[in-house]
Amino acid sequence: MLVTAYLSFVGLLASCLGLELSRCRAKPPGRACSNPSFLQFQLDFYQVYFLALAADWLQAPYLYKLYQHYHFLEGQIAILYVCGLASTVLFGLVASSLVDWLGRKKSCVLFSLTYSLCCLTKLSQDYFVLLVGRALGGLSTALLFSAFEAWYIHEHVERHDFPAEWIPATFARAAFWNHVLAVAAGVAAEAVASWMGLGPVAPFVAAIPLLALTGALALRNWGENYDRQRAFSRTCAGGLRCLLSDRRVLLLGTIQALFESVIFIFVFLWTPVLDPHGAPLGIVFSSFMAASLLGSSLYRTATSKRYHLQPMHLLSLAVLIVVFSLFMLTFSTSPGQESPVESFIAFLLMELACGLYFPSMSFLRRKVIPETEQAGVLNWFRVPLHLLACLGLLVLHDSDRKTGTRNMFSICSAVMVMALLAVVGLFTVVRHDAELRVPSPTGEPYAPEL
């Protein structure tokens, strides 16, 4: 398993590098890249945002292992994960309103403080302290995925008056480097936890200086901005009306809830499946992120001028890959007949599918959901998504360790078959909808948005 993980990591990195170099050579230069003021503004944003992302990714490979190191049972660990998911959905519902009220810059600083406290709780072996840490982690995650983007968009349009069509270029580049940071974070986590022998708590301690620097740079370099608040009840009511009045939105929400709830369960299960067989967790995580980066690169290549495939096709392919991977896992995790290499390959395929899925889903959401209703609709998407994930973890909590994992993958397979049916339904509804097609990239400065 050790050799397989390292060889897979190197092979995936080489594939990503080759694909990106090939794509960059064929890509025409962008107009925004020649604007020095815009480049400096991007740099000021990226310095803070990338530090925040790096600190977040650094904690991912060893979270389950840390709880296991503290001698908690799998059921207790499942409850900790459920607490984190519940916290994420609760704070996620009000994050936008909180950020608008408090201020985007202050919210980013608050993120650095709450996430630092979350990391500090990992030094304790007290179960209640760890539960509090998971709640703080949920708040921090909600702030990470709302405050930073909101700050950038407001500054881009309102303060600097740059063209709005340059915004997707910034977030496309951020999405690419987010994958690169995730790959590097896995290697760094492996280095401090395993190679240096500091144990599974080391990545969490190492994340604290990055978070402190995130807050300090935001305080020093960023200006404050606010936005008019929309009542939370009105936001949710508008989102529900949009969801019920447009079948495309309803089907898209169904696919997102089913697909991403399965991914949440995968995030919980990959460590107990691979760790008993001596897998280097940081390198395995980096391999996952490299597979996701490869999927993202394949998306950009597939939707380019040369191939001009559509996001709807790639979304269908992503769901099919996950269905196949989960069927593989139901056999590779059979009690007494475990095959860790097959499980690892299935997990890599799932991450490759995620690299295809997320940009496809992002494109379709932007086209289908009106901009004014996106926050409300996404709130309704998140609720079933996290409820399904929590239910799955609670079912696993009540199961026998050896049969429970296999049974959970079987349940996830059934869930993904339902997602596939929803994809077929959506494809039937939108197959003649020109609005949901990527426009011809001829003359455009950037590849399709991520």
Side-chain angles (χ1 to χ4, degrees):
M1 189 65 226
L2 184 73
V3 175
T4 302
Y6 278 96
L7 288 177
S8 299
F9 176 54
V10 173
L12 287 164
L13 273 187
S15 300
C16 292
L17 184 61
L19 197 58
E20 284 299 320
L21 287 175
S22 173
R23 195 181 66 85
C24 286
R25 281 197 297 267
K27 179 181 175 182
R31 290 192 300 267
C33 295
S34 62
N35 186 314
S37 299
F38 178 68
L39 288 174
Q40 184 57 52
F41 171 59
Q42 269 192 333
L43 180 61
D44 289 340
F45 171 65
Y46 286 152
Q47 284 177 337
V48 178
Y49 187 47
F50 287 168
L51 281 169
L53 291 173
D56 183 47
W57 286 122
L58 193 58
Q59 303 169 53
Y62 277 89
L63 180 60
Y64 188 101
K65 181 70 173 180
L66 177 68
Y67 295 143
Q68 213 172 39
H69 179 70
Y70 289 157
H71 305 295
F72 292 117
L73 302 174
E74 186 174 30
Q76 294 173 304
I77 299 173
I79 296 298
L80 287 167
Y81 272 74
V82 167
C83 179
L85 287 172
S87 173
T88 299
V89 70
L90 289 174
F91 287 117
L93 291 173
V94 298
S96 296
S97 300
L98 174 65
V99 166
D100 291 342
W101 171 77
L102 184 62
R104 279 71 180 268
K105 173 182 170 179
K106 293 188 187 72
S107 298
C108 293
V109 175
L110 177 63
F111 156 82
S112 69
L113 292 173
T114 55
Y115 221 3
S116 296
L117 288 173
C118 172
C119 291
L120 286 172
T121 63
K122 301 299 189 294
L123 296 170
S124 172
Q125 297 187 35
D126 184 272
Y127 194 71
F128 177 75
V129 172
L130 293 172
L131 283 171
V132 172
R134 291 297 289 167
L136 288 170
L139 171 60
S140 304
T141 300
L143 291 172
L144 175 61
F145 294 108
S146 57
F148 289 86
E149 183 176 331
W151 180 89
Y152 176 84
I153 292 173
H154 186 279
E155 294 288 305
H156 181 108
V157 176
E158 301 295 335
R159 183 163 298 182
H160 294 278
D161 197 28
F162 292 128
E165 56 267 22
W166 288 1
I167 293 175
T170 296
F171 288 113
R173 193 168 291 114
F176 172 79
W177 287 105
N178 182 35
H179 280 101
V180 174
L181 286 169
V183 172
V187 176
E190 185 69 18
V192 296
S194 183
W195 300 344
M196 297 171 63
L198 299 178
V201 76
F204 299 92
V205 176
I208 294 174
L210 298 179
L211 292 166
L213 193 55
T214 298
L217 287 176
L219 278 172
R220 191 187 73 176
N221 297 338
W222 287 10
E224 185 60 278
N225 63 57
Y226 301 85
D227 199 5
R228 291 191 301 272
Q229 298 177 58
R230 186 183 181 189
F232 177 69
S233 57
R234 288 180 58 193
T235 300
C236 289
L240 183 60
R241 281 195 299 272
C242 180
L243 192 66
L244 297 177
S245 62
D246 191 336
R247 191 183 173 196
R248 300 176 305 170
V249 178
L250 185 61
L251 286 168
L252 208 59
T254 301
I255 296 164
Q256 179 175 344
L258 296 173
F259 187 100
E260 295 183 26
S261 62
V262 167
I263 297 304
F264 274 121
I265 293 170
F266 150 67
V267 167
F268 175 82
L269 287 175
W270 74 265
T271 303
V273 169
L274 298 179
D275 186 44
H277 303 280
L281 298 181
I283 300 302
V284 167
F285 178 81
S286 291
S287 300
F288 290 163
M289 295 300 101
S292 182
L293 175 58
L294 181 60
S296 181
S297 298
L298 287 171
Y299 170 85
R300 292 194 294 276
T301 301
T303 53
S304 66
K305 180 181 179 181
R306 183 175 180 181
Y307 300 102
H308 206 48
L309 293 178
Q310 297 304 320
M312 191 65 230
H313 302 145
L314 298 174
L315 178 67
S316 306
L317 177 61
V319 173
L320 275 170
I321 291 172
V322 174
V323 171
F324 174 74
S325 302
L326 289 166
F327 277 121
M328 279 182 66
L329 287 163
T330 57
F331 293 102
S332 65
T333 57
S334 297
Q337 299 177 348
E338 292 90 350
S339 177
V341 173
E342 287 183 21
S343 298
F344 180 52
I345 292 170
F347 289 146
L348 289 176
L349 287 173
M350 289 180 73
E351 285 290 350
L352 178 72
C354 287
L356 294 170
Y357 164 84
F358 284 106
S360 302
M361 178 60 74
S362 177
F363 177 89
L364 293 169
R365 275 203 309 256
R366 285 197 307 273
K367 296 296 183 180
V368 168
I369 306 172
E371 187 175 351
T372 55
E373 303 297 346
Q374 283 194 13
V377 170
L378 288 177
N379 282 341
W380 288 105
F381 283 7
R382 288 188 191 106
V383 172
L385 188 163
H386 288 85
L387 283 177
L388 283 170
C390 290
L391 180 62
L393 292 176
L394 289 172
V395 168
L396 185 66
H397 167 241
D398 290 331
S399 301
D400 174 69
R401 165 68 185 91
K402 291 189 177 295
T403 59
T405 299
R406 187 192 183 206
N407 292 341
M408 182 50 58
F409 285 129
S410 300
I411 293 170
C412 288
S413 300
V415 169
M416 285 309 301
V417 169
M418 289 191 287
L420 186 59
L421 293 174
V423 168
V424 172
L426 180 63
F427 192 83
T428 303
V429 172
V430 305
R431 61 182 172 178
H432 300 303
D433 193 339
E435 182 188 5
L436 300 187
R437 293 180 175 272
V438 175
S440 174
T442 305
E444 292 185 358
Y446 299 110
E449 301 164 19
L450 288 178

